Amino acid sequence: MADWEIWVTIGVLVVATAATRSSFWLIGHHITIPKRVQEMLRYAPACALAAIIAPDMLLANTGELHLDWSNLKLVAGVASIVFYLVRRNMLQTIVFGMLFFTGLRLLLG
């Protein structure tokens, strides 16, 4: 690609992103979202996060399912879930999970 094509692509992506994000501010007052849809949208961030994290935790580098104790990411993820269920603090859970995974990687990896 030429330099001008790259800049045009970046410009189009900026406009598309700004249009989709600002559309709720511009026309959001005129559109009524049904209550059921609003309730479903509450779960969208958790679903998006799960869609990002689950493949990294559950799949090996070859793309195959890796449900074994040698999967350090999965072990750290399970430990983090248990930690969250006990403490109910998301920031502490993130720090704990990162420290636990780093410790496992240094000790066993």
Side-chain angles (χ1 to χ4, degrees):
M1 289 181 83
D3 287 344
W4 71 271
E5 292 173 319
I6 293 171
W7 284 109
V8 167
T9 303
I10 290 172
V12 168
L13 290 173
V14 165
V15 170
T17 301
T20 57
R21 293 182 183 227
S22 65
S23 64
F24 287 105
W25 289 336
L26 298 175
I27 61 172
H29 306 296
H30 305 293
I31 296 175
T32 304
I33 298 175
K35 186 170 179 71
R36 185 173 173 155
V37 173
Q38 286 180 349
E39 290 174 2
M40 290 188 305
L41 286 175
R42 288 182 36 213
Y43 299 104
C47 293
L49 186 61
I52 293 168
I53 292 175
D56 192 43
M57 272 183 24
L58 300 175
L59 300 178
N61 293 336
T62 59
E64 297 177 3
L65 194 61
H66 187 211
L67 300 175
D68 191 6
W69 290 106
S70 64
N71 184 353
L72 301 181
K73 291 178 184 178
L74 181 60
V75 173
V78 170
S80 297
I81 290 170
V82 171
F83 182 87
Y84 178 78
L85 292 174
V86 171
R87 298 297 301 248
R88 298 285 183 184
N89 186 314
M90 187 56 70
L91 182 59
Q92 289 178 359
T93 302
I94 292 169
V95 172
F96 172 81
M98 294 300 290
L99 290 174
F100 193 84
F101 176 67
T102 302
L104 283 176
R105 211 176 70 214
L106 292 175
L107 293 174
L108 303 175

